[in-house]
Structures are given as structure tokens and as C-alpha cells.
Amino acid sequence: MLKRGWLVCIALVCLFPPCVYSQNVKKVAVLPFQINAQEDLSYLATEIPKLIKDNLKREGAVIVEADPADILAWNNTLKEELDAKKIGLKQGIDFVVWGSLTRIGQKISLDAKVIEPFTEKGTSTFFLTVDGIENLLMSVQKVSRDIGFKLFDRARIAEIAITGNKRIEVDAIRRYIKTKTGDTYVPSRLSSDLKSIYSMGYFEDIRIESKETPSGKVITFHVQEKPTIRRIEFKGNIVFDSAEITEALNIKSGSILNIFVIQNNLIRIEALYKEKNYHNVSVDYEIEEQDNNQGDLLFVIEEGKKIKIEKITFEGNTVFTEKELKKVIKTSERGFWSFLTSSGELIKEDLNQDTIKLRSYYQNNGFIEAKVAEPIIEYQDDMIYIKIKIDEGRKFKVGKVSITGDLIFPEIDLMEHLKIIDNEFYSREVVRNDVVKITDIYSDEGYAYADIYPSISKDTENLEVNIAYVIKRGKKVYFESITITGNGKTRDKVIRRELRVYEQELFSGTRLKKGVRNLYRLDFFQDVKIDTLEGSTDDQILLKIDVIEKPTGNFMFGGGYSSVDYGYLTASISQNNLFGRGQVLELKTTISSKSSTYSLSFTEPYLFDKAVSAGFDIYNQNRDYEDYEKSSIGGRLRLGTRLAEYTKLFWSLSFDESDISNLDTDVSDLVRESRGDNTTIATSVTLKYDSRDRVLNPTEGTLDTVSVEYAGFGGDIAFTKYLATSGWYYPLFLNTVGLVHGKGGYVHENPNGFLPDYERFYLGGMTSIRGFGWRDIHAEDKNGDDVGGDKFVQLNIEWIIPLVKDAGLMGVFFFDVGNVYGEGEKLDLKDTREGAGLGVRWYSPMGPIRLEYGWILDPKRNEDAGGRWEFSVGTLF
């Protein structure tokens, strides 16, 4: 490029020698023009000369103003030529210009004259006529140009040609050339045109050629186009495939082969590798010339080895050890398993956040003056060393704490909500949480715009921090209107009844948060956005709720393996938001070589728009147990009501008709007793508490249920069954979640009937003790036959790890323990069966997919000491 620039400069100098300009400087005076017209056009007497002066000045003339006394004496008589010559001789002027304008009707005649005072040449006349005063400017410019030809003896440009271009259109190049056919030949203008064409960025070289012809000069722009990139290839890349590197480039096939752009893309490729800690990467390029002025661009990459953090050191820390500080930050040193994990990788964004975390850690432990410098990063061969300098400052205790300003409750009552009082040392996080708590208190009283901030004052002598929570409550605010958008299917009332806030009521931040949580728990919406706007008055607020709906129809199929069913399949089709009313309709079937179940259920969550749910279930079930077959049909009516925010009460009445047949000869006495038709009429009451943040993949909250079922209103079956379950979700470190789930039950026979085996308890399978098959855990009767127990306990502990959180992909480790106990057996928690394992769960767009493998930890005789796979798959429509 540098060589090419020198060639351009040499060409310009040779084509347009600078001496031309100094030898052809002309001094010109333009005298007032005489105006001949019926109307008053006297202003043109000076305006026309002014335009001629401007045009000649641009042509290179030096304009000299005539002596005012001579102008005053200028009378345009028959001696005008002699007078003009005298003016020029007096002031040393090379050319004197004067003339006249005559208008008759719409015809305008412009007559300009030029004389050279220092020569014997006569007067040169330039004459032009136009129609209308509006065309006068064009006439003056043409006359000026003709005078320029006279003054500078310059040629006209007869033609402008462009050659050498192959891809770039001629018209596209002409748009950058200001010189036009018919213009005066001015080398400086052509020089400007050359630079303008270069600015297009498409040409390797541009040369201007001038040729004399009888009609004027022919100017030819010879252009040489830059080569284009035919293909972009990569060599030596292993970490990134070619498609990934291509996405990082800002050039592509067909682009101009520009060296500076290529250099910029070398930097882009290096940056891509350095983001993955390949800091020794080296990138070069090669160009292979091809036909048609094209070239293949090859990026040659030497990736080098991945560099990881060898050591993180802290300087200035005396209170906290390096081990304690390393637990605070996300960036870590490489470990033994770093070749499998991300430990030791340098991520600049994480490191920048780590300085904030360290500063907050100190400030949350009383060191309010703590400062953390920007980390120093050193690259040494294949290792990275990081040093973080810390100025700890002094440690401050909590001094006086007060609440001032607009108090709506006594200060002593508000102080009970402050946690900083219980701290010995100052903590910025605790203070911030206290502000949030007081803000919530005020918002629940309608003060949506309450401004609460902590005023901090340091007592440097006693090393104490005095904290005053200053409150500016503002006005009470009411919900003027609640607007819901985005719900193309779900009806407004379904959303409004979950909000817990209403129009024309006082603002409540807590109830609004609970309402949003309720909307997520419906599982109808992918996202819920809340926006509050100023209302028509300063004490009203507009609540806008924008929802993004998601599919609520569910088609699910799954399967598994057990020692009873061997392989089995289950499928269901359901709609959880039927007709946008929030109603649930489900049809389900489970089929295996030994069983089949068909069921239909319907639920109305708000019967008559009241907080009362109602529904029914109908089923037909056939099952081939090891020693008998059971066929049953039945149904259930259900009612439910909300008792509190997360608490509901349910009641049901059920009817079941079962037929026990095909009994084996060695069947247990309990099964033999139930041979034939058995009718069950039962009612149950269930109390349910559900505070989970979402139904699928919850991260916090609990799900607790207690139920009692009584059978014996008629028919053959009579029993009372008690069930209790509790599941607790805990958010843990690194976005992982812990689950502790317990379940237990007890059933006993009532005097007015008997308790069949199929109403007793069994454990085993995906929903109880994994690793065991379905009903593998049971009790034994006095004859040693397998029967269901009258009580059971189970405990499930899970550690749920987000593998790809945004995609809903989770890993899980689990431990299950529990057992079933027969009549007369004590519930012995030391005598339990145990299983453990791992699995993968994907909350996919198609629905939840679950694959888990469990091992039996305490295998007994005739049990597989290994384990078993179980899975379930779902899809949405």
C-alpha cells in the first residue's frame, strides 16, 4: 500500500506540474454592468460582477477591486473600452471585465467584454441570450467559464472515460467524479477526483491520462480493481471448527482483499482463542492468487496449549486467609480434575465480578473502608498468575441504629424488623435487606413510592457505624387500573383471580409479588412481566401485566422395567388450560404385558368463580398380578377450597367395583379372601400446603399433604387409611437445589368390612425407592407369602445440578430409603431398604424427560445387586 501511494503522488506531480500555477496567475478587475430594463433591476449592476468574480476566483484568478474613484467616474460611454484600459494600466491589472444586461419582455441578453490593458489586443466579447430572469444564473456561470478560457488559455474537457473496471459499474465510479464534460480543464480538480475514487476502497491503482483533440481534452481514468476473496479456509484449528471461526470474522467470500481488514481479523481470531484461555495462539495468513483477479485466503493457526490459572495470591489481607478469600470468588486455580472441569480457566468477566464480591465480603464483615484493586494478570509460559491487592482498612462495629422520617408505625415496632441490630459488626448486605423489608412494610400500606435509604456516619474514634434509616413515605397509592396483555388464549379472569390485588384498592407490594408467583405456578406462561406507570393523579398507579403464553396441552409417554410388568408403556393427553378457562382435562392409559389402565379426569379450579375447585375421575383398570388378576371400574367426585395463601382443603367421594379372579393355588390367604366382586364406597379429606416457586423444576418452597380416607359406607371393603408427605426444596451453592422428601402411611381394617391386599402398601420404582422394581418392597404374612403392609415410610434425598440451566437440562444424584411393615410389626427405622443412583432430567420444549439409574445398596437373596434403568418422556402441543 505504501508503494502504491508513492506511485500515485508521482503520477499527480508528472501530470499536474506545480510550476504551471505560479506562471499563470492573472489579476482581474470586474467593473459594474450596465442594466437596460423597464423594471428596476439595478441590483444586478453589482450582483452580476460579484458572481463573475466568484467564478473566476475559483478558476485561479486574483480579483483586484478597481479604484472607487474610477468606478464613480465610470459612465459607460462610447469611450468605455479606453476607460477600462486606463483603469487596468493605472492599477497593474491583467484583464478588465465589464458589460451590460438588456431585458425586453422575457428575453434577456448578457453582453460581457474583456480587455488586456498591457497589450494591443482588442476587446473580446461574450454574448448570450436566455428566457426569463430565473435562467440568468446559469448564463452568468457560462459566461464566466468562457472568460476563464480567455484568461488562462485553458482547454475544455470534451470527454471523460473510465477503463479497467470489471466488477464496479461505470456509473458507480462517475458518481465520485465531480469534473464533468464541458468543464474547464483544471488539474487540481482532477487530483481531487482521483482521491475521491480511491476512497471507494475498490481499487488497487488509479491513473489519469489526458489527450488533446480538436474538440478539447479527453480525460481517461485507468483503474485497477483490488482482488476479491474467492474462498476463506483455515488450517491448524482444532479447538474451534471452521464454522465457529467464520462467525467471528467480519469478512466473507466475495469481499475485497484488503490487507488492513485481514490484519483486523487476525486479531479477532486470536481474541476468540484467548477467551478460551489459549493465550499462546498465533495466527498468520496466506493468499493464493486465482484467475479473474481473485484470491483464496488461508488463515494459518497455531493454537498452542490451553493456559490455566496456576496461582491466585492476595496482597494486603491480614484478617482473612487466602483460603477464605478464594471461597468468595468464582475464579479458581487449576486442580487435579481441571482437564475435565472448568477449574483454572480465566474468564475476565468473572474476575471483574470477583473484585466486587471481595469488596462486598469485607464490607459485610465490618470493613466499610476496604478497597480491592484491579487484579494483576501475568502470563508465564503455560501458566497464569493472578495477584489481587487489598486494602482492608479498619473494622467497624454497629453503633446507634435509628429510624427517622415519615413513620406510619412507632419506631420501636419498625425496629423489630431490623436485622442489623443483632449484628456486632456492620454489614452492608444486612442493611440493604433491612431497607427492602421496611420498603415492603410501607408498600403493603399503600406507599408504593416510599423512599427509604440508610444514612451512614462513621465514628472513627470508637470505630463504630451509626445507621439512620431515613423514610420519605410519599402519598398512598391506589391501583387505578389493571391491564393484561399477551393472553391470546387465557381469559382475563383466570389471570386476575390469581393476582391478589384489585383495582381501586391500596397498593401492596407483597400481595403483588405473591400474585406473580401464582401466575408462574399455573404453568400457563413462559414469562410474566410487571410494569407500573403513573396514573391520572399522583395517588394512583397503572398496573400493566404482559404475559407470554406457552403450550398447555401435554402429550406424554414413558416407560420402565420392573420384575412384575417387565417392560411397560404409559401415555397421556391432557389440556391444563381448557378453552382458556384454567380447566384441566386428561385422558391417560398405561399398558404392559400384565396390566392396562384407562382413565378420564376433569377439574374446574374455580367453581362458579369462587375459590372452590371441583372435578371427577373415571377409570377402567385391569391388572395381572403374580398370583391373581384384578379388574375394576370406578369414579370419584372431588371438591377443594383455599384456606390460606398456600393451603388448600380437598374432599372426595369415590366408588370402585373390583373383580378378583384367576387366583393361583399358592396365593396368600389375604388375596383368597377377596376373590370375586368387591365394592368400595369411600370418602377422603386432604389438606395440602404448596409454596413451591413452580410446579415443574422448583428451586425453593415446600409441598406437604395430609390425608385421611374412610371406606365402609356400603359394599364389602371397609378401612381407614392415613397418608402424609412432605417435600422441601432448598437453593444451594452454584444454582444447585436440594430436595428432602418424606412419605409415610398407615391403614387398618374397619369392623364393617375387610381390607384387601390391593389397598395395602408396597414400595419400589421411580416414584418411591429407585433401584427396586414396582412393588418389590412388601411385607409377609404368617405363612411367608408376599402381601402389602399396613404401614410404610420412605425418604428421598436429591441433589439437583443444572447442567445447561437455560435449556432446562438437570443432573441428579439421589439416595432413597424406606420399608413396608406388616400387621403386628413395629415400624423400625433401622430395618429399611436403600437405593441410590443418578440421572438426567430435561425440562425440554417437548415436556419433561427423565432418565435415572438406581442401585440397590442392601441386596438380599434373589435380588439383583446391580440396578435398573427407568425413564419417562413427555411432549407438549
Side-chain angles (χ1 to χ4, degrees), residues 51-69:
L51 292 173
I52 294 175
K53 290 176 186 179
D54 292 340
N55 290 329
L56 293 178
K57 189 175 181 180
R58 283 194 293 269
E59 294 286 341
V62 175
I63 303 301
V64 178
E65 298 297 335
D67 191 326

Side-chain angles (χ1 to χ4, degrees), residues 454-475:
S455 177
I456 308 297
S457 62
K458 292 187 295 183
D459 183 348
T460 56
E461 183 177 346
N462 298 313
L463 293 181
E464 290 182 343
V465 177
N466 300 319
I467 308 167
Y469 294 89
V470 183
I471 302 175
K472 295 180 180 179
R473 68 185 184 188
K475 287 186 176 182

